C-alpha cells in the first residue's frame, strides 16, 4: 500500500518524502521497510504512532519535570494543557528496534471519552500519554529551523489527523459508509469505485479549485451542491448556447 501511494506521486516530487502513519503502523516490518527506502537520490522521513507498553510508561515516568515543554498547535501557538518531551534515551525497548530512531512522548489532560481507557499510571498522574516514533535526526530536517525539537515532531505527526477528519469522511461520502452486498466480489467492486471517486474528488479540488478559498478543501457534499449539481438548463437562442442558472441558487455569483 505504501509503495502504491508513493507511486501516485509525480516522479519529480519523490526526492523528498514524509510518511506519517498512525499506531497501526508500529510494526518491525514497516519500520524496517521505511528505514530501507532512503537513498542518495531520495530523502524519506517518517513519523509513526506508537503503542505504549508498561516499559514505555517506565520511560515516561523517568522524564525530569523540567524536560516537559508546552506542546504547540498547528499555527505554532503554545498549548497550556499539553506537554511534549523526548524519551529516546530512556526507552528500554529501543534495543529491540533498528538504530537511528527517536521517540517523543506527549501528555494531555484526558477528555471524558478517554476516561474508561486510562491505564493505572495515567489515572495516578492525571495525564493521558501518547508516543511518536520517527527517523527525523537530532539535527532536524535540512532547511527547516527548529525541526529537531520534540515539539516540532509532535505537531508534524498530529497533522496526519486530516486523514481521519477529511479522508475517512470523504470515503464514507463516496459510498464506503455501508457495503452494498454480502458477496465479496460485489463489495470489492464497490470499494474500488468509491476509492476512484475519492481520488477524482481530490484531484478536482487540487487542479480546479486550488485558487478558490472556499472550495480548495471542500468536502464532496459541498462540491456536489456548489459545482456538480447545478440547477441550470442549457438553452439555444440566436445560434448560441446559453447556460441559465436558477436565480435563487445559493452558489450563483451575481453578475
Amino acid at each position: 500500500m505504501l509503495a502504491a501511494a508513493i507511486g501516485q506521486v509525480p516522479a519529480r516530487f519523490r526526492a523528498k518524502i514524509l510518511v506519517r502513519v498512525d499506531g497501526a503502523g508500529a510494526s518491525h516490518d514497516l519500520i524496517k521497510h521505511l528505514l530501507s527506502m532512503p537513498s542518495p537520490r531520495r530523502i524519506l522521513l517518517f513519523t509513526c504512532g506508537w503503542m505504549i507498553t508498561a516499559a514505555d510508561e517506565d520511560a515516561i515516568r523517568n522524564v525530569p519535570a523540567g524536560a516537559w515543554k508546552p506542546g504547540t498547535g498547528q499555527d505554532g501557538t503554545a498549548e497550556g494543557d499539553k506537554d511534549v518531551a523526548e524519551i529516546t534515551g530512556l526507552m528500554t525497548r529501543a534495543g529491540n528496534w533498528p538504530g537511528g530512531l527517536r521517540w517523543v512522548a506527549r501528555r494531555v489532560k484526558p477528555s471524558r471519552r478517554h476516561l474508561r481507557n486510562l491505564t493505572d499510571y495515567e489515572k495516578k498522574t492525571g495525564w493521558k500519554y501518547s508516543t511518536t516514533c520517527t527517523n527525523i535526526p537530532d539535527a532536524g530536517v535540512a532547511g527547516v529551523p527548529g525541526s529537531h525539537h520534540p515539539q516540532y515532531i509532535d505537531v508534524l505527526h498530529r497533522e496526519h489527523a486530516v486523514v481521519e477528519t477529511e479522508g475517512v469522511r470523504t470515503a464514507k461520502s463516496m459510498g464506503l459508509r455501508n457495503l452494498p452486498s454480502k458477496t465479496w466480489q460485489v463489495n470489492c467492486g464497490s470499494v474500488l469505485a468509491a476509492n476512484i471517486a475519492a481520488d477524482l474528488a481530490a484531484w478536482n479540488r487540487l487542479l480546479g479549485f486550488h485558487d478558490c478559498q472556499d472550495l480548495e478543501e471542500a468536502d464532496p457534499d459541498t462540491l456536489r451542491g456548489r459545482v456538480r449539481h447545478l440547477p441550470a438548463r442549457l438553452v439555444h437562442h440566436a445560434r448560441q448556447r446559453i447556460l441559465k442558472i436558477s436565480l435563487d441558487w445559493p452558489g450563483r455569483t451575481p453578475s
Side-chain angles (χ1 to χ4, degrees), residues 168-245:
V168 173
R169 186 185 299 125
T170 296
K172 289 181 177 179
S173 180
M174 292 301 184
L176 284 183
R177 189 177 302 277
N178 295 299
L179 295 176
S181 174
K182 295 182 179 180
T183 305
W184 172 261
Q185 290 84 353
V186 174
N187 287 336
C188 283
S190 176
V191 170
L192 179 60
N195 285 333
I196 291 174
D199 281 348
L200 290 174
W203 283 108
N204 189 193
R205 296 195 304 271
L206 180 64
L207 298 177
F209 304 108
H210 63 90
D211 56 350
C212 185
Q213 186 174 3
D214 57 342
L215 289 177
E216 62 179 347
E217 296 182 0
D219 57 37
D221 290 338
T222 300
L223 287 177
R224 290 190 188 104
R226 294 281 303 279
V227 180
R228 301 190 183 109
H229 293 176
L230 296 180
R233 293 182 299 123
L234 186 63
V235 300
H236 296 267
H237 177 72
R239 297 184 180 181
Q240 293 182 336
R241 289 185 295 179
I242 302 173
L243 184 66
K244 287 195 171 184
I245 301 177

Side-chain angles (χ1 to χ4, degrees), residues 147-162:
S147 56
H148 61 290
H149 287 295
Q151 292 99 320
Y152 175 87
I153 296 172
D154 172 67
V155 75
L156 179 70
H157 177 69
R158 285 190 292 113
E159 193 181 13
H160 88 289
V162 297

